[in-house]
Amino acid sequence: MEHQGERTPAGQRTPAARRPPETPPGRASAARRIRDTLHAAGADAQLHAVPVQGPPGPEVGVRADEPAVIASLVKILLALEFARQCAAGQLDPRERVRVTARDRLGGWGTSGCADDVELSLRDLAHFALSVSDNAAADVLFDRVGVDTVRLLAAELGLTGVRLTGGPRAILRGMLADVGAATEAEFPARYRALSDERKAALGCLDPARTNAATPRDITRLLRLVWRDEAGPPQACAQVRELMGRQVFRHRLVSGFPPDVRIAAKTGTLPGLHIEAGVARCADGREYAVAVFARTRTPSAWLPAVDAAIGTAGRLAVEELHGRPLHAEADAGSPADLLR
């Protein structure tokens, strides 16, 4: 049973999303290079990038207004709703919960633990964003409510967002699509499918699963980074959590080390995604969302992951007005100790 809770004001109301024109002719070459970069890696591109500061205006887009499966990008909205409810006093972030065998889905964080884990709600949010922990995200969805996350998307003007549920709902759909009764049956049944059947799974169809346009995702990030998606402390918490993500094989790989990236990945077989904010050495920030639909239904394609980083950098450089070159910056001790 989902906890619906009581809606609270998010602080500033945000205006309805406006649809800027498509990438102007002067940026067509950047969009073409982005498409070519991902095409050469074996993927079709969708992308949107926009400056965080200043009024809406300059942008780089590749099919930016077409619906796309968002996979684990939904955890950004989940974390934001959680942070807003904590700021409003509806939830105690220190509340202890237990993640049990019933909750585990396999993978990173609590999802892959052999034993039950007890932790706070805020640590669930930490694991959901830092290592894309599916079990943590499901438990957190149970506390904040799937419907309240839908309402949040509507309130923020994210008109293209479609939300069907959390990670477990996606998994149930995948099991049904391949005819597996249990998770243990899934690998063998999935391997037996043709690539055409794999590409037709409901989890890869934006009409049947969690979806949004790339422009929706950069709008969300821009609102969070401008403290316009809720109370400032809630937005700051989401920014901090996204800054803790450990995966560095996509967006981060394309940028020089003095560009700070706070981001969230999304991955399904045949779909590689990352969205985040790049902060350049001069302090300017850019929201960028990159979606790569691959021709091979695999979740492990290093060339595609690297191309996502290159595509993100090309978009940011176009908006920044010059190439990004590394400047002397040792980083924090945490950056150096791995």
Side-chain angles (χ1 to χ4, degrees), residues 129 225 235-245 262:
L129 264 63
W225 256 255
C235 292
Q237 184 176 0
V238 176
R239 294 194 297 268
E240 179 187 3
L241 289 171
M242 290 182 64
R244 296 180 187 176
Q245 181 180 241

Side-chain angles (χ1 to χ4, degrees), residues 101-191:
R102 182 180 62 85
D103 303 306
R104 290 196 290 273
L105 299 176
W108 299 88
T110 64
S111 287
C113 289
D115 301 306
D116 293 353
V117 180
E118 183 180 299
L119 69 170
S120 65
L121 291 178
R122 64 186 172 191
D123 281 339
L124 287 177
H126 162 72
F127 282 116
L129 264 63
S130 65
V131 296
S132 206
D133 184 334
N134 289 323
D138 267 329
V139 174
L140 204 57
F141 261 121
D142 287 343
R143 293 293 287 117
V144 307
V146 172
D147 285 343
T148 57
V149 179
R150 290 193 187 101
L151 289 171
L152 171 61
E155 180 183 319
L156 297 182
L158 308 178
T159 56
V161 167
R162 169 188 169 86
L163 180 58
T164 61
R168 187 164 295 280
I170 307 300
L171 176 63
R172 289 195 197 102
M174 293 174 72
L175 293 177
D177 281 350
V178 304
T182 66
E183 293 175 39
E185 288 183 17
F186 179 83
R189 289 187 175 272
Y190 180 79
R191 285 193 297 269

